[in-house]
Amino acid sequence: MPPVRAPLPHMLQITLYNDCAPNCVEFGALAAFLAENVPWASVAFGGDLVTAAAAHLSPAERGQLLEKTAWLLARARVHRPDHLLPPREPHPMEASVERRRLERKGDTSSPGVPLDGFRTQVIYARLIARADAVQIVVTGRLLLTYDPDDLRYHARTIVPGRPALISVPGLVEGPAKPREYYQALHALGRAGLDELARASAAKAIWGRFLAHGDDRTTEVLKGYLLQAVAYELTGDPFCPDPNCRLYNAHHQEEMLHAQMGSGSLCARHQALFASRP
Amino acid sequence: MEKQPVFSPVGEKEVTRAIIEGFARQLSDYVQSDCIIVGAGPSGLMCGRNLARKGYKVYIIERNNYLGGGFWIGGYLMNTVTFRHPAENVLAELGVPYKEATPGLFVADGPHACSKLIAAACDAGVKFSNMTKFDDVVLREGNRVAGVVVNWTPVAALPREITCVDPVALECKVVVDGTGHDATVVTALERRGIVKTVGMGGMWVERSEDALVEHTGEFHPGLVVAGMAVSTTFGLPRMGPTFGGMLLSGIRAAEVVEEILNRG
């Protein structure tokens, strides 16, 4: 069943939010890119997601909102990617860790425990969703979605919808790295389990995949912003053309090619964004 | 000229008496302590060392004869151990030589790092009971953890006919579960239906060490989880044998224990 969305207003409003995205993400550049490529939209950077969500709340209301959101996020954690388990009552410490993150206390730069992307989208919708605007959250959390075809969770780069969630660690962990990376890991020992082996394998193919804190992150993110907007306009965020920035890349090299090698849109999507449908 | 003996002329009975008296004195003293840490791996040792340096009475029990857990070796049984920034600062503090392998990733000699950490814990005043196996928890009002029940490790290996060797109980204000993937203390509470663990997460995620340190804390009144036991308890993503997370988790666990001790 297609998602139900409110009719688009005459002037599309797009607001970008920062949800503990790594420092390598330049939101000014992202907003400018969107404004340039979707000229009929009004683009704004809404700042920190939680700050924006609680801007008009009293301290007590803010506390309640954070408490509830933290509990829901703890409940949305995915512990076993090969199982679709019903949500369970989180341990108070799990909720407390999520609360600290929401309060932006301590080091929030790590992706934390992976979250179910669809559940997270619903939780974030409670915070910022508006019927008359498009929200795009660039998050530092790793998001997974369950695929009923192969009965397991997969790391995602984007969960389109309202709000659209774009996961920066998902850009690193989602698309598969070049085959040589896994071959090198295997040759070096216990695949994926030895940090030194991993670093050595990564060194051999450095540059052919996006790493955490990579300088190219902002550039790669730009195409995913357009995917979020395309979903709003057409219900389909992706393009089958591997040279288009809307290409749904399953491999790192495909992703880097679409976003940086080609770095452009196909004719159909250029036309889509150029003027209001 | 008659050759002088190198060692003092001490008989077997004096040696035996010295062993018994030394051991009994320590065990008697540590029947009650501030903190009992179960597991002498890197997180337990680090936690114990930091607490003892602040004057707390710390007893570490270890089921093996040797201390250090898996800290002696890295991946694939190779004795180079790896640490991600900022854990090299802990190595520097312990006086362990290290090198930067790739940006942000440091390597050290496993035996050197492990022996230095054990020595640091001993120097700080931590006492150990090795070849001692955790059996159960001591519970008080509201199921607060108030100690551990222990037995000799070899007892578990005896035939059933002669395993009627009763354990003994040790009391303390806080117990730390530093038993690695097994999370033995947490599992003991789970067996009683008091808590529920999630189990080891099935997904490999880079930088999952951060989540491990983040979740180090008081899991149940009187019980703090540290090191890989945190992973099992909270179902965190899997991580490789980088030991920075273990050391930082131990440091965090010491901070949490101190908070609990201070609140009385």
Side-chain angles (χ1 to χ4, degrees):
Chain A
M1 194 174 142
V4 178
R5 294 191 302 280
L8 288 172
H10 179 67
M11 179 69 151
L12 184 65
Q13 289 186 38
I14 305 174
T15 310
L16 277 177
Y17 292 98
N18 179 1
D19 178 37
C20 294
N23 291 334
C24 59
V25 178
E26 297 165 37
F27 279 90
L30 293 180
F33 174 83
L34 264 185
E36 186 185 335
N37 283 273
V38 193
W40 52 279
S42 156
V43 180
F45 175 47
D48 175 68
L49 172 76
V50 175
T51 307
H56 304 295
L57 301 179
S58 69
E61 289 170 331
R62 181 179 186 275
Q64 286 170 2
L65 179 73
L66 296 191
E67 191 73 18
K68 180 69 179 172
T69 306
W71 185 85
L72 289 169
L73 287 173
R75 202 161 173 262
R77 290 174 166 204
V78 178
H79 299 287
R80 298 286 305 274
D82 51 347
H83 286 72
L84 181 62
L85 299 170
R88 61 178 181 85
E89 182 73 19
H91 187 276
M93 247 187 81
E94 294 175 287
S96 153
V97 167
E98 294 296 344
R99 171 80 189 248
R100 278 204 304 275
R101 279 181 164 258
L102 289 172
E103 288 173 341
R104 308 318 194 203
K105 286 182 180 168
D107 181 12
T108 54
S109 66
S110 76
V113 179
L115 300 173
D116 181 299
F118 294 131
R119 287 186 196 144
T120 305
Q121 191 172 51
V122 172
I123 296 164
Y124 283 5
R126 289 178 71 245
L127 299 180
I128 50 159
R130 282 170 47 198
D132 60 344
V134 174
Q135 302 85 23
I136 303 176
V137 178
V138 179
T139 180
R141 298 301 297 260
L142 181 61
L143 304 175
L144 314 180
T145 59
Y146 188 76
D147 186 345
D149 289 339
D150 61 359
L151 304 175
R152 60 168 293 121
Y153 277 94
H154 294 273
R156 292 295 178 209
T157 49
I158 181 169
V159 182
R162 287 202 183 179
L165 309 181
I166 301 175
S167 165
V168 180
L171 298 175
V172 177
E173 306 279 355
K177 293 182 175 62
R179 183 186 295 269
E180 296 95 305
Y181 175 83
Y182 302 102
Q183 286 171 336
L185 270 186
H186 185 72
L188 283 162
R190 295 149 48 177
L193 294 181
D194 186 349
E195 188 83 0
L196 207 54
R198 196 193 58 72
S200 172
K203 204 172 174 181
I205 55 159
W206 198 251
R208 291 168 59 193
F209 65 92
L210 199 71
H212 289 290
D214 201 305
D215 292 343
R216 299 170 294 180
T217 304
T218 299
E219 194 56 37
V220 171
L221 275 169
K222 290 175 180 174
Y224 288 88
L225 297 179
L226 292 180
Q227 291 182 8
V229 178
Y231 181 77
E232 281 291 333
L233 301 178
T234 68
D236 183 2
F238 302 126
C239 177
D241 181 351
N243 296 311
C244 177
R245 292 193 93 151
L246 269 61
Y247 183 66
N248 185 18
H250 287 80
H251 294 87
Q252 288 283 330
E253 286 173 310
E254 291 173 347
M255 179 180 78
L256 291 176
H257 172 74
Q259 303 306 333
M260 300 189 72
S262 158
S264 59
L265 294 166
C266 67
R268 181 165 66 94
H269 284 111
Q270 276 182 26
L272 173 71
F273 295 121
S275 56
R276 191 187 186 287
Chain B
M1 189 177 157
E2 192 179 335
K3 195 180 174 187
Q4 291 293 312
V6 177
F7 294 104
S8 310
V10 178
E12 282 80 357
K13 65 177 183 299
E14 283 82 14
V15 172
T16 304
R17 190 172 291 130
I19 292 170
I20 293 170
E21 286 177 359
F23 182 82
R25 196 179 306 118
Q26 179 176 294
L27 183 60
S28 173
D29 190 18
Y30 280 81
V31 159
Q32 187 170 34
S33 52
D34 291 320
C35 178
I36 291 175
I37 299 169
V38 184
S43 64
L45 288 168
M46 198 69 217
C47 175
R49 179 252 189 190
N50 279 15
L51 284 171
R53 274 163 62 95
K54 293 194 168 181
Y56 295 107
K57 191 175 173 184
V58 182
Y59 203 38
I60 298 184
I61 65 169
E62 168 57 51
R63 69 178 175 180
N64 293 308
N65 189 15
Y66 65 92
L67 309 176
F71 201 26
W72 296 102
I73 52 171
Y76 206 57
L77 295 180
M78 295 180 281
N79 66 1
T80 296
V81 285
T82 53
F83 306 83
R84 283 199 298 120
H85 174 74
E88 78 279 10
N89 296 325
V90 184
L91 298 180
E93 191 186 326
L94 295 171
V96 178
Y98 61 87
K99 287 179 185 168
E100 189 164 25
T102 61
L105 181 66
F106 298 85
V107 293
D109 179 49
H112 203 158
C114 192
S115 52
K116 278 277 192 185
L117 179 55
I118 294 168
C122 293
D123 290 345
V126 175
K127 295 299 177 190
F128 293 88
S129 183
N130 44 347
M131 291 302 282
T132 300
K133 193 166 178 291
F134 168 85
D135 213 41
D136 205 350
V137 284
V138 172
L139 295 176
R140 290 287 183 265
E141 73 291 340
N143 285 328
R144 178 178 63 86
V145 176
V148 295
V149 179
V150 297
N151 213 330
W152 298 117
T153 297
V155 169
L158 290 173
R160 287 177 65 90
E161 302 80 43
I162 49 171
T163 51
C164 52
V165 181
D166 284 339
V168 294
L170 309 171
E171 291 185 26
C172 63
K173 294 166 188 161
V174 186
V175 171
V176 175
D177 188 340
T179 60
H181 297 297
D182 295 341
T184 311
V185 186
V186 172
T187 307
L189 284 180
E190 193 170 30
R191 272 200 309 270
R192 291 165 177 259
I194 296 170
V195 298
K196 187 150 180 55
T197 62
V198 179
M200 182 69 78
M203 185 173 202
W204 162 266
V205 178
E206 281 184 46
R207 307 188 64 201
S208 54
E209 281 177 308
D210 302 84
L212 189 138
V213 178
E214 206 176 16
H215 286 77
T216 298
E218 190 176 17
F219 176 65
H220 183 79
L223 175 62
V224 170
V225 281
M228 289 309 290
V230 177
S231 242
T232 303
T233 304
F234 293 107
L236 304 182
R238 286 188 290 138
M239 56 184 281
T242 57
F243 290 99
M246 303 298 103
L247 298 179
L248 296 189
S249 174
I251 292 170
R252 175 71 192 134
E255 291 166 356
V256 175
V257 170
E258 194 176 10
E259 284 166 21
I260 297 169
L261 292 173
N262 285 340
R263 75 177 181 233

